Amino acid sequence: MTPDAHRPPAANAHSGPEGIDAPDLVLAEPDEELAKQVTAQFRAAGLRTVVCHDGAEALLEIGALKPRAVLLSAPLPVVGAVQVTELIGKFHPVPVIVGAGPDGAEEATAAVAAGAVAFVARPYRAQEILALVQGGGSDELASALVVGDVELDIVGFHVYVRGRSVQLPVREFLLLRYFMERPNKLISRAELTRALWGVDKLDSNTLAVHIRRVRNKIQEAGGCCTIGAIRGMGYRLDCNPTGSTGTQSASARPAPSV
């Protein structure tokens, strides 16, 4: 365990067992360097964090400290993210966020099915985690992203096009989410590979294949949006003039086509 112990308690900290100030977040992350980097950003934002490096250690700290939220890496050694999520829900209910690494897509999907409230890309984007934890966990996640006639339900891990469900695996879901958070914005290949794969360089065909699959699924469902390639520059999510653009609340889900 690596507690963020050399700073005053955050303003939103709450009391754990026997009056001890509970941390805002328990982070279970086996990559010590990655954990160090993201907790430094959390600390700067006032988020009290306890770091563990496997699932068994995380369960011990969660039971002892009663944090506001938990962030689990996927894959997670010793006790996996799915089992940790199930045990948290049974014995110490708090919001669980799962971070999907390059090899953790299947485990992350299963953790969401087991009760995790959301998953995020790993390596982590600190601001995304901060918004979820400081915004109140699952309450903050109650809204969905809507761009044109595409809706992405962050909590339920669902995508709807014109009200119809479209199935996307984890990496494609994260890719679509990244674009929907930035509609009409040109996004470079380098930004996408860093945000979603955590590397500066990626096999040239890998990103193109993922984007093509997402684009095709939206188009096959009759959606007005597409992910267009701008040669030599990157990609952009565009919708035709008949579709709405921008981010709306979940209540704006289009009615199913008849």
Side-chain angles (χ1 to χ4, degrees), residues 5-62:
H6 302 292
R7 55 176 300 280
N12 57 359
H14 61 291
S15 294
E18 300 179 1
I20 298 173
D21 282 334
D24 296 300
L25 182 71
V26 165
L27 168 62
E29 173 52 62
D31 186 328
E32 294 188 14
E33 185 58 33
L34 175 58
K36 184 184 300 183
Q37 292 173 1
V38 74
T39 52
Q41 297 177 63
F42 291 160
R43 184 184 306 115
L47 196 71
R48 295 185 70 230
T49 305
V50 170
V51 178
C52 305
H53 298 297
D54 62 61
E57 185 182 3
L59 285 169
L60 289 173
E61 297 303 333
I62 293 162

Side-chain angles (χ1 to χ4, degrees), residues 80-122:
V82 178
Q83 291 83 358
V84 173
T85 300
E86 291 173 341
L87 289 168
I88 289 172
K90 188 173 182 180
F91 296 108
H92 308 290
V94 294
V96 176
I97 304 164
V98 59
D103 302 319
E106 184 175 347
E107 187 170 341
T109 303
V112 171
V117 298
F119 66 83
V120 295
R122 174 179 175 269

Side-chain angles (χ1 to χ4, degrees), residues 157-170:
F157 186 46
H158 296 299
V159 175
Y160 302 96
V161 178
R162 296 172 61 89
R164 297 170 177 169
S165 179
V166 174
Q167 300 302 312
L168 296 181
V170 169

Side-chain angles (χ1 to χ4, degrees), residues 231-244:
R231 185 177 295 275
M233 298 181 68
Y235 299 89
R236 184 176 61 215
L237 176 65
D238 292 315
C239 298
N240 68 31
T242 62
S244 61

Side-chain angles (χ1 to χ4, degrees), residues 44-232:
L47 196 71
R48 295 185 70 230
T49 305
V50 170
V51 178
C52 305
H53 298 297
D54 62 61
E57 185 182 3
L59 285 169
L60 289 173
E61 297 303 333
I62 293 162
L65 299 176
K66 305 296 191 296
R68 293 184 61 211
V70 176
L71 174 57
L72 304 176
S73 165
L76 187 64
V78 184
V79 181
V82 178
Q83 291 83 358
V84 173
T85 300
E86 291 173 341
L87 289 168
I88 289 172
K90 188 173 182 180
F91 296 108
H92 308 290
V94 294
V96 176
I97 304 164
V98 59
D103 302 319
E106 184 175 347
E107 187 170 341
T109 303
V112 171
V117 298
F119 66 83
V120 295
R122 174 179 175 269
Y124 310 106
R125 289 181 283 161
Q127 290 303 316
E128 182 176 20
I129 308 302
L130 289 167
L132 296 177
V133 176
Q134 295 176 334
S138 58
D139 291 339
E140 175 70 14
L141 294 170
S143 63
L145 294 169
V146 179
V147 178
D149 51 15
V150 180
E151 177 188 334
L152 186 144
D153 176 1
I154 299 170
V155 179
F157 186 46
H158 296 299
V159 175
Y160 302 96
V161 178
R162 296 172 61 89
R164 297 170 177 169
S165 179
V166 174
Q167 300 302 312
L168 296 181
V170 169
R171 191 66 61 183
E172 293 174 20
F173 183 93
L174 291 173
L175 182 65
L176 178 59
R177 176 179 174 182
Y178 199 84
F179 277 106
M180 291 181 67
E181 290 171 338
R182 300 158 181 81
N184 305 311
K185 177 184 176 183
L186 179 64
I187 304 173
S188 69
R189 291 179 58 89
E191 179 180 346
L192 288 167
T193 56
R194 281 194 300 268
L196 300 177
W197 278 267
V199 297
D200 292 324
K201 293 184 179 180
L202 193 66
D203 173 30
S204 60
N205 195 46
T206 300
L207 178 59
V209 167
H210 279 77
I211 288 177
R212 182 169 63 249
R213 288 173 178 167
V214 174
R215 180 196 299 129
N216 288 346
K217 289 175 182 178
I218 292 173
Q219 292 177 345
E220 288 168 3
C224 70
C225 298
T226 188
I227 301 174
I230 313 300
R231 185 177 295 275

